[in-house]
Amino acid sequence: MSLQTSSEIDIIKAATSKIDQVDFEKLTFGSVFTDHMLVCDFRNGAWEKPVIKPYEPFVLDPSAKVFHYGQAIFEGMKAYKTEDNSVWLFRPEENHLRMNKSAVRMCMPEVPESIFIDGLKELIRLDEAWVKNGKGNTLYIRPFMIAIGSGVIAQPSTQYRFCIILSPAKAYYSGDVKVLIADYYSRAANGGIGAAKAAGNYSGQFYPTQLAHNAGFQQIIWTDDATHTKLEECGTMNVFFRINDTLYTAPTSDRILDGITRKSLIDLAKREGINVDVRPVLVDELVEAAKNGSLKEIFGAGTAAVVNPIVGFQYKDEYFELPKLEKSYATDLKEKLTNIQYKLAEDTFGWTVKI
C-alpha cells in the first residue's frame, strides 16, 4: 500500500493537568492515563496529519468495522526515567516493526515511522512529568489501531484510526503465580493470527482463563491446538523453562508472539553464559522433569510483567510445586534487563533510545 505521510504533528495542549489527582503509589495497572494522546486517521489511501490532543473519548459510527469484524491491533511498550531525569524507550523499533507485521496480517495499513516513533517521542515529551523516577516506576505505552470505516459488509475497512495512549505503571502481577496447563482450550492455531497482537487473541483467552481463576490459578500455559502436547505461551506472556541449567523456550511461529522481552532475555542469557535451547518443549517432558527434580524454574516474560516467576503448575489432576531457589535465572535476568532499561548498567546491545 502506497503511503503519503507528513512528519509534522499538530499539538493541542490540555488546559489543565490531572496529574495532581493521581496517587502514584497506588496505581492499578492500565487504569490511569496521562493528559494527552496521539491520534492519526487513515483515509482515502493515505495517513492524515497526526494530532496530539487532550485525552478524551471519541465518537464512532455504530457500524464501524472494528465492532463487527474485529480489525484491531495494539502494542505494549514502556518509557523509563533514569537517575539524571532523562527518559528512555526500550527497543521501540521492534514494537514498530511488530505493529506493522500485525497490520499486514489483519489487512490494515502499515504505520509510518514518522507517526509511530516520532509521534510517540513528541507525546512523551509533552507528558514527561508522568514518568516517575525510581526503579519499578514506568510509563506504559499503548499504541493501537482500529477500523473506523462504516458498514457491516464483511470486508476490510478503508478507514482506520491509529492512537497512542500513556499510563503510569508499577508492577503488573503481584503475589504468587500458579498456572494450569491447557489440555482442551487453545490460544491460536497454525495459519491463524496468534503471532499478531490482534485484540481477538486476548479476548479469546478470557473465558478459559476465568475458568482457571475459578480453580485457583492465575494463568494458563497454552499448548498447541492440534495435539496439546507442546508448551507455548503463558497467559499474555512468552514462557521459559529451566531444566537443570538449561533454559528452554518455544520458537516463534504462527501461534506464538515474537516477544521483545523474550528475545532480549535470550540475548542476555547467552551473554551470561547460560545455555539456551529454543525448541518445542513437550508437556510430558515438563512433567517428567518436575517428577525427577530437574525442573528448577518456570517464568513468564513480557513488557508489562517483565519477568514473572511461576511457583507451580497443574496438568490434568496433578499439581507440581517448583523449588524455592536462592539464586534463580528469573531474578538474575530480570535484574540485568531492568538495569539496562533504567540505565543502571551499560547497554552493550544498543537497545535503549533517549527521548
Side-chain angles (χ1 to χ4, degrees):
M1 185 179 293
S2 177
L3 299 176
Q4 302 171 22
T5 66
S6 170
S7 60
E8 297 180 359
I9 301 172
D10 285 338
I11 298 177
I12 305 169
K13 292 185 178 181
T16 59
S17 175
K18 56 181 182 277
I19 193 169
D20 292 337
Q21 303 168 25
V22 177
D23 184 347
F24 284 86
E25 297 304 314
K26 296 179 180 178
L27 291 170
T28 299
F29 187 89
S31 62
V32 174
F33 297 93
T34 67
D35 294 318
H36 299 91
M37 62 183 186
L38 180 142
V39 180
C40 187
D41 287 352
F42 181 90
R43 301 177 190 271
N44 301 313
W47 286 100
E48 298 179 346
K49 192 174 187 180
V51 179
I52 293 175
K53 58 192 294 189
Y55 183 95
E56 62 185 3
F58 46 69
V59 176
L60 293 179
D61 192 291
S63 71
K65 289 185 183 289
V66 64
F67 300 136
H68 302 273
Y69 301 110
Q71 275 189 295
I73 60 174
F74 66 94
E75 271 298 320
M77 313 166 60
K78 284 180 178 177
Y80 308 83
K81 182 168 280 186
T82 59
E83 291 177 336
D84 65 356
N85 285 323
S86 58
V87 179
W88 296 75
L89 297 172
F90 183 73
R91 308 188 76 174
E93 73 288 346
E94 291 287 343
N95 292 98
H96 178 229
L97 178 64
R98 191 172 62 182
M99 180 95 185
N100 282 341
K101 286 181 178 178
S102 297
V104 170
R105 181 61 183 86
M106 297 299 290
C107 208
M108 304 169 83
E110 295 179 59
V111 182
E113 182 177 341
S114 59
I115 297 173
F116 189 102
I117 300 291
D118 297 345
L120 172 59
K121 289 181 177 180
E122 198 63 45
L123 178 61
I124 292 176
R125 288 188 190 106
L126 193 58
D127 281 348
E128 185 178 325
W130 291 79
V131 195
K132 296 301 182 181
N133 291 93
K135 198 170 182 182
N137 293 318
T138 61
L139 186 69
Y140 184 75
I141 302 163
R142 174 52 63 90
F144 65 98
M145 178 165 43
I146 58 174
I148 61 172
S150 59
V152 295
I153 185 171
Q155 64 185 28
S157 178
T158 59
Q159 299 176 21
Y160 297 89
R161 179 161 296 164
F162 172 72
C163 297
I164 305 176
I165 54 178
L166 309 174
S167 177
K170 284 187 175 290
Y172 187 65
Y173 293 112
S174 59
D176 290 343
V177 175
K178 297 189 296 182
V179 299
L180 191 65
I181 294 180
D183 60 1
Y184 176 75
Y185 291 103
S186 300
R187 175 188 174 274
N190 284 333
I193 60 171
K197 279 190 77 72
N201 286 342
Y202 296 80
S203 59
Q205 296 183 38
F206 292 163
Y207 176 66
T209 301
Q210 184 60 57
L211 296 179
H213 288 171
N214 294 343
F217 298 91
Q218 285 69 48
Q219 285 292 350
I220 293 174
I221 293 184
W222 302 102
T223 51
D224 67 291
D225 64 301
T227 67
H228 293 291
T229 61
K230 298 174 184 177
L231 298 157
E232 301 205 323
E233 290 194 356
C234 179
T236 58
M237 302 178 286
N238 295 116
V239 63
F240 288 82
F241 309 94
R242 177 185 172 187
I243 299 176
N244 290 320
D245 290 329
T246 297
L247 206 53
Y248 297 88
T249 192
T252 56
S253 67
D254 287 347
R255 304 185 307 274
I256 299 177
L257 190 71
D258 186 12
I260 295 161
T261 304
R262 170 191 175 275
K263 64 177 68 176
S264 303
L265 291 175
I266 290 172
D267 288 345
L268 270 174
K270 289 179 178 178
R271 188 192 72 179
E272 297 303 307
I274 297 171
N275 186 38
V276 180
D277 196 350
V278 179
R279 65 162 176 81
V281 182
L282 302 179
V283 176
D284 288 348
E285 186 180 2
L286 188 73
V287 170
E288 179 58 30
K291 288 180 176 178
N292 66 30
S294 61
L295 178 63
K296 307 301 183 184
E297 298 179 65
I298 305 175
F299 57 89
T303 298
V306 187
V307 173
N308 201 260
I310 291 164
V311 300
F313 73 92
Q314 181 163 313
Y315 179 59
K316 297 189 182 295
D317 296 323
E318 197 167 8
Y319 179 74
F320 300 92
E321 192 81 16
L322 272 69
K324 290 179 169 54
L325 304 177
E326 287 187 13
K327 185 172 176 58
S328 68
Y329 285 176
T331 301
D332 187 54
L333 290 172
K334 180 177 182 179
E335 180 76 6
K336 286 180 167 57
L337 181 59
T338 54
N339 280 347
I340 290 173
Q341 292 168 333
Y342 287 93
K343 307 299 286 184
L344 298 173
E346 184 182 0
D347 176 14
T348 59
F349 299 98
W351 287 338
T352 51
V353 176
K354 192 173 185 178
I355 295 293

